[in-house]
Amino acid sequence: MAMDITTKNMRALLINVLLGIAIVAAVFAAIGGGWSLAKYTGILPLKKAKKALVIDKTPITVEHIKAIGELVTATWYDEQVILVQKLRYSPDSTFVKRVKEGEVVKVIKQTTKKKNNTTEIITYEEAAKVLGELVIIQDAHGRIGINMAKMKPENLVFPKKDGMPVQIKLPALECLDFIMNPTDTEVFSESEGWNLDDLKKAMAPAELEMKTKMKKDKSLFDTASKSAQEVVTQLFRAAGYENVQVVFESDEIKNLEIPSVEQ
Amino acid sequence: MRKTIQLSKWLLAAVLLMLTASGCGPRSQKMAALLSRKEKAIQVIDKIKSEKQLGLVEYEIEKIVKAKEEGRKVFILKSKKEILCSCKAYLKAGIDLSGFNPMTDMAIDPDETMITLTLPAPTLLSLNIPIDEVEILYEKTKYSNGFTLTDLNEILRQGEAQINASVPDLGILEDAKQNARLFFEPLFKRLGFTSVQVEFKENQKV
């Protein structure tokens, strides 16, 4: 009888302890669940919506005004994804083994070595740890045309006899503007620690690569030159010259610098 | 004892319900967003596009862009960040000659000494904000991680929008009209006309 009572008391005590733990856990879970519910559904004003970053209205200062005469005859559009990584190099192969998979990149490097008065290029792989990544989607557009201020009097030759064409030699086509504005830039992904200088360094090679593409695109020159010829011919015909001959000083587009390949 | 067990069962059920509801919160929001989101029209842009634009005036402008952000107060700490950037922009205004038909918009008098050009009204042809000419003049952060590149780009985008909105008040379009006259008069006088009149069509609202 005494044994039964002790066993019963022990059982009751154990149940009470377990119930107590369950009740405490339930209370904490309820608080946590309620907090989550309020936060994500906005039922209770516990989470203030993050205000969008808004700039103040500030004045504009006009620094310089310039008269120009630019005939734009073609526009070129392109979009590029720029991936920049911050890497930490280590020549120690054991470092490579310690780093987690997916965070190591193989970088192909070149160096020169002089041997017996000859320069030898040595290629080797080096492992580097990725410390941070920046991914940008960059749109750009180039405006191709003629700077009419470069026209000289000798570029316009009027016919000496009836029936002969008026000859117009237009300056070379050039890239008058290459535009990559903030609205053309989308920061798709960034880890911590990137600043404005990093952004400038990331965009510079992308700009040169796109200008290289423009220079190599023959259809761009064809479209721009054809449009320029149409405009000039129409103007002169409307002014009374039936026979108009339009040529260009060069058959390539200027102002598209291509970087020299470093050895 | 039975009452304790029953109470704890109700409590457990309530906890499970809360957890399920909280777990549904963000997921249900995403589903609603998916269902109600209209598909954006796919924009098609030609890689190369023929243009007929005559740029007549270029303005070089500078704008100071300023932004402040204050975060939530956590206990007594409140995060704050401020930034001042300067950016340069190059605006070009002129005439879109695709709206100009020499056959109908150029009138020559019977003596062939006077010509009248009716040109489209000048518009802003390009706005260029080179990233190399953007500078951060002042940046301060307090209990915060600072401005990310995403924040910086958003600030500059708003600056660009403000520049675009201010074009009618800058005077650039009036200067383009003046320069149009200065451009065409010598050209047509060289072609033999003694008098050159330049007029403009009214702006068409889109």
Side-chain angles (χ1 to χ4, degrees):
Chain A
M1 189 72 170
M3 280 295 287
D4 287 336
I5 292 167
T6 309
T7 309
K8 273 185 186 172
N9 284 343
M10 288 295 290
R11 199 182 296 166
L13 181 65
L14 185 65
I15 289 168
N16 281 334
V17 166
L18 287 172
L19 279 172
I21 293 167
I23 289 166
V24 168
V27 167
F28 274 109
I31 292 168
W35 181 269
S36 296
L37 184 72
K39 189 178 171 185
Y40 287 109
T41 60
I43 290 171
L44 295 171
L46 290 175
K47 184 191 176 194
K48 274 186 192 172
K50 191 184 174 188
K51 285 181 189 173
L53 201 57
V54 176
I55 65 170
D56 296 343
K57 282 190 179 171
T58 50
I60 288 169
T61 310
V62 178
E63 299 217 310
H64 193 58
I65 300 174
K66 191 167 77 171
I68 58 173
E70 292 177 351
L71 181 64
V72 174
T73 54
T75 314
W76 182 90
Y77 292 91
D78 198 14
E79 187 175 75
Q80 205 168 70
V81 175
I82 304 169
L83 169 62
V84 186
Q85 290 172 323
K86 279 186 185 168
L87 302 175
R88 188 170 75 205
Y89 295 93
S90 172
D92 184 6
S93 59
T94 55
F95 165 78
V96 175
K97 285 174 191 171
R98 284 201 302 271
V99 172
K100 284 182 208 171
E101 196 177 312
E103 288 183 353
V104 177
V105 295
K106 293 278 184 192
V107 179
I108 308 294
K109 280 192 153 185
Q110 281 189 339
T111 188
T112 54
K113 188 178 171 184
K114 277 191 177 173
K115 191 178 176 183
N116 297 333
N117 291 328
T118 57
T119 303
E120 191 185 327
I121 295 172
I122 301 166
T123 303
Y124 63 94
E125 280 187 356
E126 194 172 289
K129 185 178 176 185
V130 178
L131 298 178
E133 277 186 337
L134 172 64
V135 184
I136 299 167
I137 301 172
Q138 183 66 59
D139 291 343
H141 68 276
R143 290 160 51 80
I144 310 300
I146 301 160
N147 187 351
M148 301 298 279
K150 292 183 179 176
M151 281 279 285
K152 296 165 202 165
E154 54 266 28
N155 287 71
L156 191 57
V157 178
F158 289 98
K160 288 173 185 172
K161 290 179 189 174
D162 284 342
M164 284 182 71
V166 58
Q167 291 175 331
I168 304 150
K169 195 174 188 180
L170 294 173
L173 284 167
E174 52 185 276
C175 180
L176 297 166
D177 294 297
F178 189 82
I179 296 169
M180 295 198 300
N181 286 340
T183 44
D184 301 321
T185 307
E186 182 188 341
V187 180
F188 182 74
S189 172
E190 61 173 317
S191 54
E192 281 182 18
W194 297 96
N195 56 31
L196 179 63
D197 286 335
D198 296 325
L199 182 64
K200 289 179 185 179
K201 283 178 197 168
M203 286 167 72
E207 179 180 337
L208 285 170
E209 194 177 326
M210 286 195 264
K211 281 183 174 177
T212 307
K213 277 193 214 174
M214 279 173 73
K215 195 163 182 120
K216 289 178 180 174
D217 193 338
K218 287 294 171 195
S219 58
L220 177 60
F221 178 85
D222 293 340
T223 304
S225 60
K226 188 181 168 191
S227 188
Q229 282 171 335
E230 278 173 9
V231 169
V232 173
T233 305
Q234 277 178 354
L235 266 173
F236 276 81
R237 280 193 182 152
Y241 293 89
E242 282 300 317
N243 204 347
V244 182
Q245 208 174 60
V246 180
V247 294
F248 291 89
E249 279 182 358
S250 170
D251 60 356
E252 60 174 18
I253 300 171
K254 305 285 180 189
N255 279 2
L256 291 173
E257 301 86 20
I258 297 176
S260 56
V261 177
E262 289 179 1
Q263 291 289 326
Chain B
M1 184 66 180
R2 272 187 191 169
K3 279 183 184 174
T4 314
I5 292 168
Q6 217 168 10
L7 182 65
S8 63
K9 276 182 185 172
W10 279 112
L11 270 170
L12 278 168
V15 161
L16 279 168
L17 188 66
M18 286 277 207
L19 286 170
T20 311
S22 68
C24 277
R27 252 181 255 147
S28 64
Q29 277 181 350
K30 280 179 189 172
M31 279 300 294
L34 270 169
L35 289 167
S36 65
R37 187 179 67 188
K38 290 179 185 174
E39 279 193 15
K40 283 184 187 174
I42 296 170
Q43 197 183 8
V44 177
I45 303 171
D46 291 324
K47 192 169 181 79
I48 298 173
K49 195 176 158 195
S50 175
E51 303 277 8
K52 287 173 186 174
Q53 295 173 348
L54 181 64
L56 293 161
V57 65
E58 183 180 17
Y59 269 36
E60 182 186 326
I61 64 167
E62 187 175 356
K63 183 167 174 69
I64 304 290
V65 176
K66 58 177 181 174
K68 280 185 191 181
E69 190 181 63
E70 287 183 352
R72 276 187 296 165
K73 209 171 180 178
V74 179
F75 299 108
I76 56 167
L77 303 172
K78 195 173 184 183
S79 67
K80 192 176 175 185
K81 45 190 189 183
E82 305 169 316
I83 192 166
L84 277 176
C85 299
S86 87
C87 59
K88 279 203 173 164
Y90 299 87
L91 292 87
K92 289 185 182 175
I95 295 159
D96 190 345
L97 292 172
S98 57
F100 176 71
N101 185 349
M103 295 302 161
T104 56
D105 296 326
M106 277 170 69
I108 302 173
D109 71 334
D111 296 332
E112 292 185 359
T113 55
M114 183 172 146
I115 186 168
T116 304
L117 300 168
T118 308
L119 300 169
T123 54
L124 183 71
L125 299 178
S126 74
L127 168 60
N128 189 6
I129 304 174
I131 189 70
D132 289 335
E133 298 193 60
V134 174
E135 281 178 31
I136 295 177
L137 303 172
Y138 174 80
E139 188 176 2
K140 186 180 176 184
T141 57
K142 198 177 175 184
Y143 311 123
S144 174
N145 287 334
F147 289 92
T148 61
L149 283 182
T150 308
D151 293 334
L152 201 60
N153 200 46
E154 176 57 30
I155 288 164
L156 293 174
R157 279 186 182 201
Q158 290 180 32
E160 185 184 338
Q162 282 189 4
I163 292 171
N164 256 319
S166 66
V167 164
D169 303 320
L170 278 177
I172 190 171
L173 301 177
E174 284 68 36
D175 282 344
K177 281 185 182 176
Q178 290 295 320
N179 287 358
R181 294 186 176 99
L182 293 171
F183 181 85
F184 284 107
E185 276 175 17
L187 174 67
F188 283 99
K189 280 186 175 172
R190 182 112 194 268
L191 295 178
F193 295 94
T194 54
S195 173
V196 181
Q197 296 287 323
V198 176
E199 293 168 358
F200 295 92
K201 296 175 190 172
E202 290 299 311
N203 263 326
Q204 287 178 344
K205 287 186 182 179
V206 178

